[in-house]
């Protein structure tokens, strides 16, 4: 009897084995759905596709089955809404513990849900009723994952330095989404996307072009998959208890060291803080369904592709440099210009589309170095000498936005600095080490934005991600804040070369101060990315959820406005654009205009947030640029810290100008040179600093992986 | 017996169900899944559907009578029901489920109540119609029956 049973088992296994050889025929799927009707139909559909199907109507049973023997299945398909366990939770656990591809199923196709699926690691998200055609392709996820794992393990730990290549591997990377490579086939995808670009073959790694080939160091590549594990571990531990050692244990990845995790964690914290800022500002009005962490994770995942590209090495270099510098408050303020709150609107892709790398434009703002916020920050760019400059700034923003906008899937996320401000103001403890990091990254140079930028490699990436300009109107306050952020700062970076591109890019940006309103093209389309539904401020930054949110910093304090106005040589910093009295009439600016005007009165009023004007995000998007007004007296009480942007000093003007020169290289992954254009800034900074690089890749808090990747 | 006639009748009944919007394309998919291995698949699924949906409807009914009004819960239940409906192609029912959910979203109790009644009604009607349809099919025998000699 026993023998018979054993033989049966053997036979079964043999059959299955044979089936497996004919992959995808015989692919072993575990289907989980509490709805018996759906489950039955699904099972039959899967069998029709010649898969080997096991079903259960309970997530707990599924988990048990998987835990008993992970090798029993190739793929898991699970419904999102289940009574015994949230589908997303199951997804996360399966991804973390078993590293199997998981496809989510739902009746609900809301972007919010889809986004959640992606951020939790789903490799696809299907809507019910599922069609057989969709199921016929799911085997690809299994292959991809295996492939990437293999590649990853080969490349992950030890990476050979490669000379910087010109191809930009980032481009339209589809990081998220069902179809994309959760498993880290980002580079693969990139290849597909950029047919003309040859990847160096390192799928998940980035090249450190600047390092001498002799100095090879083991480097951890934080692929999307690895990062996903990291996040799942952090979530499981709880952000408070997530210490590197425990995370490392949970992740259970060979050759990963505690230091690797620690540095990643550090960046993660920073990112989250950054996200909070942006999040708060922009999404206050949106339904708050995502925690900062979720969003941050999303961003990072999303961005990881971008950072894979060889271009990213520049960022790394830059970051290294920046991290060595002390924070420069003024520059920070200037640098951050402001982010366009509208950016924050992320639009989840419907049905999971690939996300294209976003241009980190306003990233800086979100990543507001501590110093920036607090400093008086001579508005770094506040004063633009020329209208064109301003325009540039705007343009940059516009450009960025446009640029981003044009990318269907660009995900733009504009971070607002206010957040930080708020934090600071409120003494909030976003600490995530952000301030420290910021300081670290703030470059002491004269008001350079560079510091700002550098600091934020994260910011950059974030901004890139953030760039999506949303057309959803944000509550005035937020808008205001965003705008302000935008205005900012960019200016301080003394970017050597500016691309004229930038200027060209500015759509709708006129040299005229007035025109500089960011309106860039009216409402920035955008949001191809996630429609943001709403990033939920999970923990209200300043304790006030939503609207009050500190979003930002009002853009140039009235004082500065006037200054800028006076200095009109150019539109004063974008922020000024907003503030510029003339801007009032631009409808785009809407709010800006209003802002500007109100600004004049406002000085230090909380009212700054002229958002009441109802800034339309579209118009805003851009560049508030410089006017980050920082609250000089961080009044803890005010919900919305006012950021005063100090007009740029004349010294800065020049620099600022430079800043604007950045072109907007490419949307994908590039920094836009304009204030929002990190790429340009970064490029120039990198160029300038190329020789400076002193530290190894891993200087920044351990392995410094590209923001995208590591975050 | 004139099986071909019965089959014709069944086909025309089905067509009318489609035309009147009771069923949609998904129903065809379900029927397509029928094969030699599972010759009565469609009927099995439909039977399962009615059994399960009756349970859901009764849950919703109970929830609707409770206080305080828990829109989230109602919505969650209805979402389940909607999922089932869409799996078999019960188009009208699905629409009613969706409008119920909309009312939930608005916090409109009255709207929910009315909509729920509609859901129940559609459920009843569909059940009747599909029962008749499958009965006809059973009488008509398997598709190959007509070609079998002596039948």
């Amino acid at each position: 009897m026993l023998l018979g049973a054993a033989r049966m088992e053997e036979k079964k296994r043999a059959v299955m084995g044979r089936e497996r050889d004919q992959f995808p025929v015989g692919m072993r799927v575990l289907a989980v759905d509490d709805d018996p009707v759906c489950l039955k139909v699904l099972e039959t559909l899967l069998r029709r596709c010649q898969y080997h199907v096991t079903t259960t109507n309970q997530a707990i049973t599924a988990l048990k089955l998987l835990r008993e023997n992970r090798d029993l299945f190739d793929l898991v398909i699970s419904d999102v809404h289940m009574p015994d366990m949230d589908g997303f939770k199951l997804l996360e656990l399966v991804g973390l513990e078993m590293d199997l591809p998981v496809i989510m199923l739902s009746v609900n196709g809301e972007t919010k849900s889809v986004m959640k699926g992606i951020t939790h690691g789903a490799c696809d998200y299907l809507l019910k009723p599922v069609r057989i055609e969709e199921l016929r392709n799911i085997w690809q996820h299994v292959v991809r994952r295996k492939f990437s794992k293999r590649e990853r393990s080969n490349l992950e730990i030890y990476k050979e330095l490669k000379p910087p290549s010109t191809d930009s591997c980032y481009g339209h990377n589809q990081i998220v989404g069902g179809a994309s490579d959760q498993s880290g086939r980002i580079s693969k995808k990139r290849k597909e996307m950029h047919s003309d670009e040859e990847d160096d073959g390192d799928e998940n790694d980035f090249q450190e072009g600047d390092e001498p080939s002799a100095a090879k160091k083991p480097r951890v590549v934080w692929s999307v998959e690895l990062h996903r594990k990291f996040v799942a571990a952090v979530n499981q531990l709880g952000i408070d208890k997530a210490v590197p050692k425990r995370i490392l244990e949970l992740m259970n990845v060979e050759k990963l060291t505690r230091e690797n995790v620690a540095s990643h964690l550090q960046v993660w914290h920073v990112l989250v803080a950054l996200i909070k800022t942006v999040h708060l500002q922009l999404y206050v009005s949106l339904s708050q369904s995502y925690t900062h962490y979720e969003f941050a994770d999303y961003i990072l995942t999303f961005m990881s592709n971008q950072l894979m590209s060889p271009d990213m090495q520049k960022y790394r270099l830059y970051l290294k440099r920046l991290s060595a510098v002390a924070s420069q408050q003024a520059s920070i303020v200037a640098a951050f210009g402001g982010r366009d709150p509208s950016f924050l609107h992320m639009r989840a892709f419907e049905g999971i589309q690939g996300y294209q790398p976003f241009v980190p434009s306003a990233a800086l703002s979100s990543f507001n170095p501590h110093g920036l916020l607090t400093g008086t920050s001579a508005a770094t760019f506040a004063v633009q000498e020329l209208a064109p400059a301003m325009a540039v700034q705007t343009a940059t923003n516009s450009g960025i936005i446009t640029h981003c906008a044009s990318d269907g899937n660009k995900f733009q996320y504009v971070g607002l600095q206010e957040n930080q401000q708020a934090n600071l103001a409120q003494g909030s403890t976003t600490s995530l080490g952000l301030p420290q990091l910021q300081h670290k990254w703030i470059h002491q140079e004269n008001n350079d934005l560079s510091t700002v930028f550098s600091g934020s490699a994260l910011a950059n990436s974030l901004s890139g991600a953030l760039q999506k300009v949303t057309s959803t109107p944000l509550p005035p306050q937020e808008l205001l804040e965003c705008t302000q952020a935008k205005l900012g700062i960019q200016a301080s970076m003394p970017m050597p070369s500016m691309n004229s591109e930038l200027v060209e890019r500015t759509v709708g940006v006129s040299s005229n101060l007035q025109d500089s309103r960011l309106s860039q093209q009216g409402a920035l389309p955008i949001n191809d990315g996630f429609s943001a539904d709403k990033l939920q401020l999970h923990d209200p930054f300043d304790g006030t959820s939503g609207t009050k949110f500190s979003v930002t910093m009002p853009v140039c304090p009235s004082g500065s406005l006037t200054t800028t106005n006076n200095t009109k040589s150019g539109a004063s910093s974008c922020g000024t654009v907003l503030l510029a009295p003339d801007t009032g009439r631009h409808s785009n600016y809407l709010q800006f205009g209003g802002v500007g005007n109100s600004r004049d009165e406002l000085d230090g009023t909380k009212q700054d947030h002229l958002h009441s004007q109802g800034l339309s995000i579209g118009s805003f998007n851009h560049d508030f640029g410089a006017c980050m007004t920082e609250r000089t007296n961080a009044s803890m009480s005010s919900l919305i810290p006012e950021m005063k942007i100090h007009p740029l000093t004349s010294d800065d003007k020049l620099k600022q100008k430079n800043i604007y020169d950045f072109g907007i290289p490419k949307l994908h992954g590039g920094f836009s040179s304009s204030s929002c254009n990190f790429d340009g800034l970064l490029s120039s900074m990198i160029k300038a600093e190329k020789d400076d690089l002193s530290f190894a890749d891993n200087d920044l808090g351990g392995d410094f992986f590209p923001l995208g990747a590591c975050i | 017996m004139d099986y071909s006639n019965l089959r014709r009748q069944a086909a025309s009944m089905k067509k009318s169900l489609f035309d009147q919007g009771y069923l949609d394309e998904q129903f065809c998919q379900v029927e397509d899944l029928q094969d030699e291995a599972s010759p009565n698949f469609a009927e099995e699924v439909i039977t399962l559907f009615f059994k399960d949906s009756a349970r859901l409807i009764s849950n919703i009914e109970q929830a609707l009578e409770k206080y305080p009004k828990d829109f989230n819960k109602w919505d969650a239940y209805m979402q389940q029901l909607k999922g089932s409906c869409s799996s078999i192609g019960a188009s009208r029912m699905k629409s009613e489920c969706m409008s119920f959910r909309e009312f939930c979203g608005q916090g409109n109790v009255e709207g929910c109540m009315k909509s729920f009644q509609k859901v129940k009604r559609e459920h009843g009607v569909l059940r009747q119609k599909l029962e008749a349809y499958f009965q006809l099919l059973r009488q008509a025998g398997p598709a190959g029956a007509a070609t079998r000699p002596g039948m």
Side-chain angles (χ1 to χ4, degrees), chain A residues 34-38 40-41 44-45 48 81 83 106-108 110 128-133, chain B residues 26 29-30 32-35 41 44-45 48-49 52 79-80 82-84 86-88 94:
Chain A
D34 67 314
D35 181 334
V37 178
C38 297
K40 189 172 168 89
V41 174
T44 312
L45 285 169
R48 192 48 83 81
H81 305 279
S106 178
V107 160
N108 183 358
E110 279 171 26
K128 292 183 184 177
V130 183
R131 292 190 319 277
I132 199 167
E133 298 82 32
Chain B
Q26 180 64 19
Q29 289 244 345
V30 170
D32 283 348
L33 286 176
Q34 213 157 261
D35 58 13
F41 179 74
E44 283 164 17
V45 173
L48 183 57
F49 168 75
D52 194 56
Q79 191 173 46
Q80 281 183 38
K82 180 190 164 199
S84 290
S86 60
S87 290
I88 61 145
K94 186 166 86 164

Side-chain angles (χ1 to χ4, degrees), chain A residues 273-450:
Chain A
L274 185 53
I275 294 288
K276 273 186 181 181
T277 307
V278 175
H279 209 181
L280 284 173
Q281 293 169 350
L282 295 180
Y283 289 93
V284 161
S285 61
L286 302 176
S287 83
Q288 312 185 331
S289 47
Y290 300 105
T291 63
H292 293 302
Y293 296 112
E294 286 166 324
F295 184 50
D297 179 42
Y298 170 74
I299 296 282
L300 281 171
T301 299
F302 189 66
M303 292 188 49
S304 64
N305 275 345
Q306 284 199 14
L307 295 180
M308 300 299 202
S309 114
D311 288 12
M312 283 301 170
Q313 41 182 315
K314 298 191 244 171
Y315 287 92
R316 290 177 51 116
L317 298 182
Y318 190 70
L319 283 169
K320 289 185 201 173
R321 177 174 179 270
L322 292 177
S323 65
V325 183
S327 60
Q328 177 92 23
Q329 307 208 340
S331 56
I332 294 175
V333 173
F336 282 108
R339 256 184 237 263
D340 199 334
S342 47
F343 286 168
L344 283 187
H345 187 82
M346 295 180 353
R347 217 176 46 141
F349 38 82
E350 305 289 334
I352 306 186
Q353 304 161 10
Y355 277 83
Q356 298 183 351
F358 36 78
V359 175
S361 62
L364 283 187
S365 5
S366 47
F367 194 81
N368 200 333
H370 183 92
L372 195 66
L373 291 178
T374 56
T376 29
S377 58
T380 10
F381 48 68
V383 182
Q384 301 248 337
E385 318 167 333
L386 322 169
M390 210 150 87
V392 173
Q393 203 167 38
T394 322
T396 346
N397 287 331
S398 312
I400 295 180
I401 305 256
T402 318
H403 200 67
C404 295
S406 55
D407 274 302
N409 294 327
K410 274 255 168 154
F411 186 90
Q412 295 182 346
Y413 190 95
V414 180
L416 293 174
Q417 306 205 338
E418 282 88 2
N419 202 335
Q420 307 226 332
Q421 184 76 37
N423 268 340
L424 298 176
Q426 319 209 340
S428 74
T429 47
T430 351
S431 53
L432 309 191
L434 189 55
Q436 298 91 347
L437 284 168
Q438 285 173 340
H439 275 279
K440 200 162 117 168
W441 291 350
I442 302 264
H443 191 76
Q444 272 301 341
E445 299 168 17
N446 35 315
N447 293 347
D448 263 15
L449 278 181
S450 58

Side-chain angles (χ1 to χ4, degrees), chain A residues 126-170:
Chain A
L126 304 178
L127 293 190
K128 292 183 184 177
V130 183
R131 292 190 319 277
I132 199 167
E133 298 82 32
E134 295 174 298
L135 293 176
R136 286 199 201 281
N137 290 326
I138 59 178
W139 61 268
Q140 295 175 14
H141 299 295
V142 177
V143 175
R144 277 200 210 111
R145 195 170 272 245
K146 286 198 181 134
F147 186 83
S148 85
K149 266 208 277 205
R150 201 183 336 131
E151 293 280 331
R152 195 160 38 88
S153 62
N154 288 342
L155 302 170
E156 196 162 44
I157 300 307
Y158 191 81
K159 174 115 179 55
E160 289 203 22
L161 294 175
K162 291 195 189 192
S165 76
T166 46
D167 10 309
S168 108
C169 290
Y170 48 81

Side-chain angles (χ1 to χ4, degrees), chain A residues 484 552-556 599 608-609 627-629 641-643:
Chain A
Q484 298 178 350
T552 75
M553 341 200 253
V555 179
C556 315
R599 266 283 152 179
D608 275 345
H609 313 293
C627 298
M628 291 257 296
T629 48
E642 239 183 313
M643 297 254 317

Side-chain angles (χ1 to χ4, degrees), chain A residues 648-665:
Chain A
L648 293 171
T649 61
S650 42
D651 304 345
D652 299 332
K653 284 193 195 163
L654 212 47
K655 294 199 196 109
Q656 294 187 351
K657 251 186 144 177
N658 289 341
I659 299 179
Y660 298 121
D661 277 346
F662 299 143
I664 297 183

Side-chain angles (χ1 to χ4, degrees), chain A residues 527-593:
Chain A
N527 294 323
D528 289 355
F530 278 137
S531 356
D533 294 322
K534 314 137 175 226
L535 282 188
Q536 163 184 53
L537 295 190
H538 205 240
D539 23 286
F541 205 74
D542 51 0
T544 52
S545 44
T547 51
K548 281 205 256 135
F549 212 95
S550 53
V551 171
T552 75
M553 341 200 253
V555 179
C556 315
S558 50
S560 53
L561 270 185
T562 36
T563 313
T564 43
N565 287 335
N566 298 339
T567 37
K568 212 154 180 156
S569 25
S572 34
S573 50
C574 326
T576 53
V577 172
L578 290 182
L579 301 179
D582 335 69
T583 52
R585 59 178 193 170
H586 290 293
S587 54
N588 282 346
Y589 276 54
L590 281 194
Q591 288 92 26
F592 273 105

